[in-house]
Amino acid sequence: MSQRVAGFGTTVFVEINALAREHGAVNLGQGAPDFDGPPEVLAAAVTAVNSALNQYAPGTGMSSVRAAIAAHADRFYQQKVDPDFEVLVTSGATEAVFAAILGLTDAGDEVIVFEPVYDSYVPNMVMAGVTPRYVSLRGENWTFDPDELAKAFNARTRAIIINTPHNPTGKVYSREELNVIATLCQKHNVIAITDEVYEHILYDDAVHTRLATLPGMAERTLTISSLGKTFSVTGWKIGWAIGPAPLVTAVNRAHQFITFAVASPLQAAAATALGLPLSFFDNLRGMYQTKRDRMLASLQRAGFKALKPQGSYFIMCDWRGVAPVRITDDVQFAQWLTTEIGVACIPPSIFYQDADKHLAKYLARFSVCKKDETLRAAAERLSRLGKL
Ligand SMILES: Cc1ncc(COP(=O)(O)O)c(C=O)c1O
């Protein structure tokens, strides 16, 4: 095994999923729906398979899907992009982020991330020889200190990654926060890479702001998103990066030798998905609002202090007072909840790589992207907690 990957280990997701299977737990761990995507999108994939769309697509993506990605950006954010030079189709957002780091940074550069941080970013940086620099998200609203962020920028800073809506916290970055980030990016000539895979999963009156649409940011922002979360097809791994041609060209230099091209029939279906009427996106938001509200209430009834998310699939909770005293950290809690109560969750310490790891100790992350009956079964099991 190379030294490059030796430190990665296997993720706790694998362990919790195995435990959940072994103990027949209701799995609210992984952020993948246990229901299917829209029938017309699934049918479009089947039609594509049966229409001889089964050979390599162009490396940058099929023109119909690049056009659909550009039209979606315009429809929801009035973001104008040229589908021929400013859009790249990737194997999910995951590949887009990795190709962005490889294509836009050099070994020895620094990239700023907010902690807690989505689990692939830092390993991506390690593989690229890039140094992560952490800025804390803290408190019930997961805010950052603008001075701490300003101090994180230096002559070696090449990029900053912003994930909004945020996994695992459910934070949606406000326009004011994004303005602070935008000002610093321009002052230090830094590229912003945004991961917006939960862009359509928003609660209450939350508004998703695309950093690329703020003044001065279009020319230095790479916007990344994907089909998986919005269309409940996480297994398809169709993602994209949007940005100015020089950035997209650089990302494509890496992409062409990572995956080269992405599944043709699923790309064809992506064009159908992205073109669905507004009512689809409204219904999705309404469906998730109901799921989040119910799950929030169930967790609170069970004795958790739940931190209300503004977006994403997740609810973070403080479990103190809910578990026996012998449980002393988030990993033990997740194992105990899975094996003894029959509900699997994720221990958030996997999203901490730096000094704030202790903040995860009493937290648990629950996914709400599950059928109503799954959430009901989980609620019933969690209701035992209050009686322990
Ligand atoms: C923040 C974030 N980015 C990216 C991904 C993965 O996206 P994709 O399946 O499109 O690679 C996830 C999935 O959980 C995520 O939570």
Side-chain angles (χ1 to χ4, degrees):
M1 190 181 287
S2 71
Q3 287 186 12
R4 193 182 293 120
V5 301
F8 294 167
T10 47
T11 76
V12 75
F13 283 97
V14 176
E15 188 205 332
I16 295 289
N17 281 336
L19 263 189
R21 268 194 306 277
E22 193 184 321
H23 292 267
V26 178
N27 196 342
L28 303 187
Q30 203 175 25
D34 63 351
F35 49 88
D36 228 337
E40 57 272 54
V41 175
L42 306 184
V46 173
T47 303
V49 167
N50 289 326
S51 308
L53 267 180
N54 298 305
Q55 308 308 328
Y56 292 129
T60 56
M62 286 165 50
S63 61
S64 61
V65 70
R66 279 186 279 107
I69 291 164
H72 171 272
D74 189 14
R75 173 156 64 136
F76 287 97
Y77 310 106
Q78 294 76 54
Q79 182 186 19
K80 312 280 180 209
V81 289
D82 180 339
D84 290 331
F85 300 103
E86 298 181 325
V87 179
L88 176 70
V89 180
T90 58
S91 179
T94 311
E95 193 227 340
V97 173
F98 188 37
I101 291 170
L102 289 174
L104 297 171
T105 66
D106 285 306
D109 284 348
E110 290 187 6
V111 173
I112 298 171
V113 287
F114 292 92
E115 190 181 51
V117 56
Y118 181 61
D119 60 345
S120 70
Y121 303 162
V122 173
N124 285 175
M125 291 180 207
V126 170
M127 288 191 276
V130 167
T131 305
R133 188 163 274 269
Y134 298 93
V135 173
S136 303
L137 296 175
R138 290 202 181 147
E140 295 205 356
N141 295 324
W142 305 100
T143 47
F144 62 86
D145 173 359
D147 291 334
E148 187 191 341
L149 179 63
K151 286 196 190 99
F153 282 79
N154 63 52
R156 293 202 300 158
T157 311
R158 184 76 183 128
I160 179 170
I161 305 182
I162 302 103
N163 167 217
T164 184
H166 186 254
N167 177 8
T169 66
K171 171 187 178 65
V172 174
Y173 283 69
S174 68
R175 183 169 279 269
E176 292 68 36
E177 288 174 317
L178 294 173
N179 271 327
V180 170
I181 295 169
T183 303
L184 287 165
C185 285
Q186 289 170 62
K187 179 172 171 200
H188 296 276
N189 192 23
V190 161
I191 296 165
I193 300 169
T194 65
D195 176 343
E196 307 183 18
V197 297
Y198 299 103
E199 61 186 298
H200 289 291
I201 300 169
L202 299 162
Y203 304 119
D204 307 322
D205 52 2
V207 176
H208 174 67
T209 304
R210 194 158 261 197
L211 182 62
T213 63
L214 296 188
M217 290 309 287
E219 57 266 42
R220 60 176 64 255
T221 304
L222 190 78
T223 305
I224 291 171
S225 193
S226 71
L227 216 60
K229 313 292 180 178
T230 303
F231 300 99
S232 309
V233 288
T234 58
W236 284 15
K237 301 298 293 182
I238 301 290
W240 53 85
I242 303 173
L247 296 192
V248 169
T249 301
V251 179
N252 187 36
R253 290 278 169 92
H255 162 79
Q256 67 183 336
F257 295 126
I258 303 175
T259 54
F260 161 52
V262 178
S264 307
L266 303 182
Q267 286 197 54
T272 301
L274 288 163
L276 287 177
L278 272 183
S279 56
F280 166 81
F281 298 88
D282 290 344
N283 291 342
L284 181 86
R285 186 170 175 158
M287 175 187 80
Y288 274 113
Q289 178 82 48
T290 307
K291 289 185 189 300
R292 187 215 63 173
D293 289 350
R294 285 193 187 144
M295 198 59 212
L296 205 56
S298 306
L299 289 163
Q300 282 163 344
R301 266 199 308 276
F304 287 94
K305 182 174 176 233
L307 305 171
K308 204 175 185 179
Q310 300 166 291
S312 87
Y313 277 173
F314 308 108
I315 301 179
M316 286 274 252
C317 288
D318 188 319
W319 52 264
R320 272 173 290 191
V322 169
V325 285
R326 67 187 154 82
I327 305 296
T328 55
D329 67 30
D330 64 323
V331 175
Q332 286 178 19
F333 177 77
Q335 290 163 338
W336 173 79
L337 197 76
T338 307
T339 57
E340 302 298 318
I341 304 298
V343 177
C345 63
I346 290 295
S349 52
I350 57 166
F351 299 103
Y352 286 88
Q353 313 278 340
D354 200 46
D356 276 357
K357 209 175 186 82
H358 64 283
L359 296 179
K361 203 168 171 186
Y362 302 113
L363 295 176
R365 190 200 77 175
F366 293 90
S367 298
V368 303
C369 53
K370 308 294 171 184
K371 289 178 195 153
D372 290 345
E373 61 251 43
T374 309
L375 295 179
R376 261 198 305 274
E380 202 180 296
R381 291 173 183 207
L382 290 172
S383 70
R384 288 177 44 208
L385 284 173
K387 300 181 191 104
L388 282 179

